[in-house]
Each structure stands twice: as C-alpha cells, then as structure tokens.
Amino acid sequence: MWYLTQRLVAFVGLLLLLPVFAFLWMLVKATSEGPFLYSQTRPGLHGVPIRIWKIRTMVPGSDKNLQNARCVLNNNPNVTYVGRILRILKLDELPQLWNIVIGQMAFVGPRPIAFSLHQELCMMIPGFEKRTGVRPGLSNIGQVSIEENASGDQLIHDWRERFEAETHYLRNRSIGYDCVVILLTVLYLLRKAWRLRGKRPRTKIASQHPEYLLHQSRTA
C-alpha cells in the first residue's frame, strides 16, 4: 500500500508540476542546444536495468566521457549555466517522478547510479551490491547528509560514507523512516535555495587588484 501511495502521489505531483516543466523546457531550450530530457540506463531493483529520466544539464555528448559517469561537479565545463542551477536545486531529478509512477523507483531509497560506477564501487566497497535489494529512490539519508559530491581520490571515501547511511536505511526502513527522509529532503532543498539566493559575485579587495600590487612594488 505504501508503494501504491507513492505512485499515486508521484502521478499527482507530475500533473501539478506541468507548468514548472513547461517553464524549465523553455529555459533549457533557449539557453543551450539539445533535447530537454536526458535518459540513461541504470541498475534498479535486484540490478534489473531501468531507464531513468532527468532534465538535461550538460551539453549533448557529455555522457560519452566515462569520467562524467563517476562524478560531475558543478564547475565541470560541460555543465550549462542553467544546468548548474538545476543541479544545485535538484530540479533536474523531477522527471524521475515518472519512474516512481511506473513502479521502478520510490521516493526514498539508494540513488540509481551509472552501471560503470556501480560495478567499480561493488569491487571497492564490500557489500555494495546489497543496495539494489530495494527500489532506488529519488532521495535518501546519505544525499541529504553530505553537502557536495566528492571526486578524484576522494570518490571512494565519499561513497563509503553514503553506503554507510544507505545500509542503516536498508536495516531500518519503514514508512516512518521514509517520511523523515522526505522531510529532511525538503529542508535540504530549502537551504540550498536560500544559499543560492544569497550568493553574490565576489568583489576583490583593494590589495588584490593588480594595479594596487604594482603600486606597492614601485613604492617598496
């Protein structure tokens, strides 16, 4: 019944978000070339491949770079200007409500990741394959606990922490746990939106200007 309820809520959410999708479609299409939606096959329940949907945030063809399957930071040159904002606010994940509607995902569960990254982490992190024992989720406790993704040498360490949180969820999952994570996700996104709203271009102080440094060297 809980999964059926989630599917119903996701369906209603998609209908209510149609004006938002229309606005985002115009924004994405007006600022970059390429399709509005992006899809990728990822491991779902019991590792069965599912096609997840996202609003495109990168230039077309970026998925051919295997490094982008491991981790994409917001300063990645392939991420569009609008895409950076969508990724910060997680709005690019909204089309995955459709994956919930058709029963492939849930609101809470391990995030679906690229097959190549999944296979790498299964070799590096003991028991990592257990995360496919439940439906992948739109959000989870690890996602709202870790502020930013890590890359490079820190990637494995970052995923060890995320998997630790996911393991706690797998052992203790319940309707109440799901509701707590959903509430934390809402608060997480509101905090992200507030920080984005408060960001302003940084201005250099006088001592950082080249003209000031040149003047100081001449008078020294």
Side-chain angles (χ1 to χ4, degrees):
M1 289 299 297
W2 176 230
Y3 280 122
L4 290 175
T5 301
Q6 292 183 68
R7 294 172 71 175
L8 177 61
V9 171
F11 179 73
V12 174
L14 280 175
L15 293 179
L16 295 177
L17 287 170
L18 284 177
V20 176
F21 282 120
F23 173 75
L24 293 178
W25 179 86
M26 291 187 292
L27 196 60
V28 170
K29 297 296 286 184
T31 56
S32 64
E33 296 183 356
F36 172 62
L37 293 178
Y38 167 78
S39 68
Q40 187 179 56
T41 302
R42 298 184 179 185
L45 180 62
H46 304 312
V48 176
I50 62 173
R51 183 168 294 277
I52 64 106
W53 295 89
K54 302 178 67 173
I55 297 175
R56 182 179 57 82
T57 58
M58 305 179 72
V59 297
S62 300
D63 56 334
K64 295 180 180 179
N65 185 343
L66 294 180
Q67 287 300 319
N68 289 332
R70 299 181 83 244
C71 179
V72 177
L73 302 179
N74 268 350
N75 61 0
N76 188 308
N78 291 316
V79 178
T80 65
Y81 176 77
V82 171
R84 288 186 176 88
I85 299 174
L86 295 179
R87 295 176 72 91
I88 290 173
L89 299 179
K90 306 297 183 183
L91 295 177
D92 59 317
E93 311 286 356
L94 286 179
Q96 288 165 39
L97 288 172
W98 175 248
N99 292 99
I100 298 177
V101 172
I102 61 179
Q104 294 178 337
M105 289 179 59
F107 276 106
V108 179
R111 286 292 299 148
I113 59 177
F115 266 103
S116 57
L117 177 60
H118 176 76
Q119 293 167 355
E120 178 184 356
L121 295 176
C122 282
M123 292 188 294
M124 300 297 295
I125 303 175
F128 192 80
E129 67 280 354
K130 294 179 181 178
R131 69 195 304 272
T132 60
V134 298
R135 288 180 176 85
L138 197 59
S139 181
N140 62 33
I141 189 67
Q143 190 170 13
V144 299
S145 300
I146 299 176
E147 188 69 19
E148 299 294 344
N149 296 332
S151 62
D153 296 337
Q154 295 298 314
L155 179 70
I156 304 299
H157 174 73
D158 180 62
W159 270 104
R160 289 185 190 276
E161 292 187 341
R162 291 176 186 272
F163 181 59
E164 183 179 351
E166 292 176 349
T167 301
H168 185 272
Y169 173 77
L170 293 176
R171 291 174 178 171
N172 302 278
R173 64 193 183 99
S174 64
I175 296 176
Y177 201 144
D178 283 359
C179 291
V180 169
V181 173
I182 291 171
L183 176 61
L184 289 174
T185 301
V186 172
L187 296 175
Y188 173 84
L189 295 178
L190 289 175
R191 183 177 63 178
K192 283 272 192 176
W194 180 258
R195 287 182 177 179
L196 185 64
R197 173 183 177 274
K199 282 186 177 179
R200 296 291 185 272
R202 294 183 179 181
T203 56
K204 294 182 179 180
I205 59 176
S207 59
Q208 293 176 319
H209 280 285
E211 295 85 355
Y212 179 87
L213 295 175
L214 181 61
H215 174 73
Q216 288 293 93
S217 64
R218 287 175 176 174
T219 55

